[in-house]
Amino acid sequence: MLFAIKFSSIKAWARNLKRDSVALYLASRDPRVPWHAKAVAVAVAAYALSPIDLIPDFIPVIGYLDDLILLPLGIWLALALVPDEVMEECRTKASALLQRPSSRGGMIAIIVLWFAGALALAWAAFRYLPR
C-alpha cells in the first residue's frame, strides 16, 4: 500500500515535470517573459538535448544522476524566473497540448511502416551487397 502511494506521487511529479517542460517552451516564446528567464530555459533545454553530459551516461548509476538532479533544478529555476500569470497561461496551454487524443490505428500504421522499411533495407542488403 505504501509503495502504491509513493509510486502514484512519483508519477504525478513526472507528469507535472513534463507539463512544466512544455509550458517552459511556450513561455520562452512569450514576449512578456524577461530575457534572462528565456536564456535559462534555453540552457536547460540545450543541456537536456546535448549529447555531452557533465557525467557521461555510460558510467553506471552515477551517469544518470546529473540528469536526475540538474534538469529538474534547471527547470525549477527557469519556472521561478517566469512571471506567475504567464506561467499559469502556459501551463493551461501545455495541459491542453498534452491531452491530445492518441490513435491506436496511427500507432499500428507507424509500426507497420517501420517494419516494412526494415524488411526492405534487409532485402536490399542481401540482394545487392557482395557476399
Side-chain angles (χ1 to χ4, degrees):
M1 179 77 176
L2 182 61
F3 176 73
I5 292 170
K6 288 187 183 239
F7 186 68
S8 65
S9 65
I10 290 172
K11 281 176 54 175
W13 176 77
R15 201 174 308 115
N16 287 338
L17 189 63
K18 183 178 180 181
R19 183 207 59 208
D20 285 349
S21 299
V22 173
L24 267 178
Y25 167 75
L26 295 172
S28 70
R29 303 177 63 83
D30 194 304
R32 298 174 291 175
V33 175
W35 68 269
H36 57 277
K38 291 180 181 184
V40 169
V42 168
V44 169
Y47 182 77
L49 299 174
S50 172
I52 301 169
D53 279 343
L54 192 60
I55 302 170
D57 289 342
F58 64 81
I59 298 173
V61 181
I62 297 173
Y64 291 106
L65 281 180
D66 66 334
D67 295 333
L68 290 173
I69 294 171
L70 290 178
L71 289 177
L73 284 176
I75 291 171
W76 174 79
L77 176 62
L79 289 173
L81 295 174
V82 175
D84 291 336
E85 64 276 358
V86 174
M87 202 61 223
E88 285 304 316
E89 289 176 27
C90 292
R91 280 186 176 132
T92 303
K93 290 177 188 176
S95 293
L97 283 173
L98 290 174
Q99 293 192 4
R100 293 183 309 208
S102 60
S103 167
R104 288 190 191 266
M107 177 186 67
I108 291 170
I110 297 295
I111 291 171
V112 167
L113 286 173
W114 274 99
F115 188 70
L119 285 176
L121 186 63
W123 176 80
F126 284 119
R127 173 102 165 95
Y128 295 110
L129 289 178
R131 294 181 196 173

